[in-house]
Amino acid sequence: MIEIKPNIYFVGVKNPEMRIFDVFFKTERGTTYNSYLIVGKEKVALIDTVKEPFKDEFIKNIEEIIPLEKINYIITLHHEPDHSGALKYILEKSNAKVVISKNAGLFLKQILHKDVNPMLVGDNDKINLGDLTIEFIQAPFLHWPDTMFAYVPERNILFTCDFLGAHFSDNSIYNDESIDFSYAFEHYYKIIMRPFKDYVLQAIKKIENKKIDMIAPSHGMILRKDPWKYVELYKTWSTPKPREFKRALIFYASPYGGTGRLANSIATGLVESGVHVELFDLAGTVIDDSLLDLIENSDALIVGSATLNGDAIKPVWDLLSSLTTINLRNKIGFAFGTFAWSGEAPKLIENRLKDLKLKVPETFIRAGIIPTEDDLRIAKEAGKKLAQYIIGSSSSAQA
Ligand code: FEO
C-alpha cells in the first residue's frame, strides 16, 4: 500500500516473474496489476481490481487502509480479466456499487455470471465522494470497446486503464524512481494500442485541456514526472505522416526459386507503374516490430508461397499470424504461388488476406514449379493491374 496522492492509494500487485502475458506478449520484467483506492470524506471508491490469482495479496493491501465493506464503489475501467478477476471476491465482502461504462454491461455479466445492477457512466458523469470527485471520460477501444478513464480534479490525477501502461515491474511504482522502461512502454503501445491510433488521438483530445500532474495506468509505472511527455509519445506514434509515394511489400516462400521469380515479375510490373516495392524472401526474414512498422506503413501486402503438402509453407503462416496488432483495412492484398500438383497455397493466402480485412481486388495467380516465360509475363501484368488499385487506394500511408 502506497499513498500516491492525499487519500489516494496504490493497492495493486506486482508480478515481476511473469515472462509471457496473455500467451503471446513477452515481458522481460514482468508486469504489475495496478489498482487504486480513493478514500473520500464520505465515500470510498476502488479503481479496478487485479488478476484472480493475486486476490489475497490485493485484499490484504486494501485492508491495510480500510475494511472491504467500507468500499462504496468499484470502478472497472474495462473488463479484461487481469483487472476484473478479483472483482467477485471484493463483492462477496462489500455492498459496493459496480461502476462501468455504458457499453460494458455484457462484459460485466460475462465476468460475474450474474447481473449486479451496475451504475452506467459516460462522458462527464461524476461520482461525489465528499471532498473528492471522480469524473469519467469514455476512451473506447483503448483497447477494449468499454474502456474509460477516471479523473479526480481535486488531485490532478488521471486513471487511464491500459492506456499509457507498460508490462514492466520495478522496485518503485513511479517512473522517476524506476530504471529505464522506455522499451517496455513503446512495445506495449505497439502490441496493445497500435491498431487503434484514431481512438488514441480522440482520447488525447478529451484530456489535453485537463490539469493533470499524475497519470496512473493499470500496468507498469505511475507517471509522476513529466506525465505529458508520455501522452506526447502516444500522439506522435499515432499521428499519420503522409508520404509522397505508394509502397508495396512482397513476401515469398520459394524453396525451388520459382515463387521468387514470380515475385520479381510482380515487382517489375509494380515498379514500372510507379509503385515503390520492397521484396522479402521469408527464408531470411525476421518478423519483428520494425517489420510490422513497415507493413503498417505500406499500401499493399503481396504474399506468395509454393504449395507443400496442400498448404502454404510455415514462414508464410508465421507472417500472416503476426499481423493482428496492425490496422490493415484499406491496404491492397494479393496472393500468388507455384505448385507441382495440387496448388492450394495461393488460395489459402488469399482467404487469409481477406479475413484480415485487406482489399483483394484481383484473384490469385499460380504457376508450375518452374514458371514459364508466359507465367512471368502474367505475373508482371498482375503487378501492373495491382499498381492501379494501389495508386488509387486511400490506405493511411505514413512515412
Ligand atoms: Fe491490462 Fe486490457 O488489460
Side-chain angles (χ1 to χ4, degrees):
M1 176 276 286
I2 300 170
E3 190 170 28
I4 61 172
K5 289 269 188 180
N7 297 320
I8 299 180
Y9 301 86
F10 172 86
V11 289
V13 173
K14 294 180 183 178
N15 183 8
E17 307 304 326
M18 188 183 70
R19 290 295 175 266
I20 301 281
F21 183 87
D22 278 358
V23 186
F24 71 98
F25 190 147
K26 286 186 185 166
T27 57
E28 288 81 355
R29 290 198 41 102
T31 195
T32 64
Y33 306 105
N34 299 348
S35 169
Y36 305 94
L37 191 72
I38 305 176
V39 182
K41 281 204 184 331
E42 293 173 14
K43 304 270 186 184
V44 174
L46 180 67
I47 295 192
D48 283 327
T49 70
V50 300
K51 197 169 185 177
E52 186 172 3
F54 299 91
K55 69 179 188 313
D56 293 338
E57 183 180 345
F58 173 56
I59 289 171
K60 187 164 158 285
N61 289 346
I62 297 171
E63 290 183 332
E64 282 179 18
I65 306 163
I66 50 151
L68 294 187
E69 60 263 28
K70 295 278 188 193
I71 298 172
N72 302 101
Y73 301 104
I74 305 173
I75 298 160
T76 55
L77 296 179
H78 84 320
H79 286 80
E80 200 164 10
D82 52 324
H83 306 291
S84 58
L87 175 60
K88 62 185 174 186
Y89 300 99
I90 307 297
L91 288 174
E92 279 173 7
K93 295 188 179 173
S94 77
N95 289 316
K97 191 77 171 166
V98 181
V99 182
I100 63 174
S101 69
K102 284 180 174 166
N103 55 355
L106 180 63
F107 297 129
L108 184 63
K109 272 188 200 158
Q110 286 179 343
I111 297 291
L112 295 177
H113 296 168
K114 62 180 180 183
D115 188 355
V116 294
N117 189 25
M119 178 189 293
L120 305 180
V121 293
D123 276 334
N124 303 316
D125 286 340
K126 296 179 179 63
I127 290 177
N128 188 341
L129 305 183
D131 55 331
L132 299 174
T133 315
I134 302 176
E135 297 178 9
F136 297 98
I137 300 161
Q138 297 290 303
F141 294 102
L142 299 177
H143 62 126
W144 271 35
D146 58 327
T147 299
M148 62 179 179
F149 301 161
Y151 175 59
V152 179
E154 296 86 355
R155 296 287 185 269
N156 300 335
I157 183 170
L158 182 72
F159 301 91
T160 54
C161 196
D162 290 328
F163 189 77
L164 302 170
H167 284 316
F168 186 84
S169 176
D170 193 45
N171 293 332
S172 174
I173 60 168
Y174 296 116
N175 65 326
D176 54 304
E177 293 177 349
S178 163
I179 62 169
D180 185 7
F181 64 101
S182 53
Y183 167 79
F185 183 80
E186 183 170 354
H187 191 58
Y188 190 89
Y189 170 88
K190 287 187 170 177
I191 298 288
I192 304 293
M193 299 295 164
R194 175 176 13 209
F196 307 109
K197 290 182 173 184
D198 291 347
Y199 292 98
V200 169
L201 295 174
Q202 286 171 26
I204 290 174
K205 269 209 176 87
K206 287 185 176 183
I207 63 170
E208 59 193 359
N209 291 325
K210 295 202 179 292
K211 195 168 179 198
I212 295 166
D213 59 33
M214 183 181 283
I215 291 177
S218 61
H219 293 292
M221 296 295 110
I222 294 174
L223 307 174
R224 171 170 79 171
K225 185 179 179 198
D226 299 330
W228 288 101
K229 178 182 92 175
Y230 299 89
V231 177
E232 280 303 313
L233 282 172
Y234 264 39
K235 196 171 184 177
T236 301
W237 294 334
S238 301
T239 302
K241 300 171 190 64
R243 65 180 133 72
E244 291 177 355
F245 59 90
K246 293 287 186 176
R247 175 190 281 139
L249 304 183
I250 303 179
F251 294 90
Y252 62 91
S254 182
Y256 312 115
T259 308
R261 293 186 70 199
L262 287 181
N264 276 291
S265 294
I266 295 169
T268 301
L270 287 162
V271 170
E272 287 183 2
S273 305
V275 175
H276 174 93
V277 176
E278 293 175 46
L279 275 165
F280 294 86
D281 181 344
L282 282 167
T285 299
V286 176
I287 301 165
D288 57 12
D289 274 350
S290 52
L291 183 69
L292 295 178
D293 287 343
L294 187 64
I295 294 171
E296 183 179 45
N297 296 332
S298 300
D299 303 289
L301 184 58
I302 298 168
V303 183
S305 177
T307 294
L308 183 67
N309 294 334
D311 201 354
I313 300 173
K314 183 175 180 297
V316 171
W317 294 121
D318 290 342
L319 173 73
L320 294 175
S321 64
S322 301
L323 305 178
T324 49
T325 60
I326 301 174
N327 185 349
L328 297 166
R329 281 177 199 277
N330 296 324
K331 295 191 193 304
I332 302 294
F334 182 66
F336 64 99
T338 54
F339 69 109
W341 60 94
S342 56
E344 291 89 341
K347 178 65 180 162
L348 293 169
I349 294 169
E350 182 178 291
N351 289 344
R352 176 64 177 158
L353 293 174
K354 287 178 179 172
D355 289 344
L356 287 169
K357 311 285 190 246
L358 284 93
K359 289 182 181 169
V360 182
E362 291 286 325
T363 304
F364 64 85
I365 59 168
R366 61 184 176 185
I369 194 165
I370 307 294
T372 63
E373 287 305 313
D374 204 37
D375 292 328
L376 297 177
R377 181 189 58 74
I378 290 169
K380 183 175 167 182
E381 283 307 309
K384 288 188 171 180
K385 277 191 208 165
L386 287 171
Q388 301 316 307
Y389 296 107
I390 293 166
I391 289 165
S393 74
S394 60
S395 123
S396 54
Q398 292 192 40

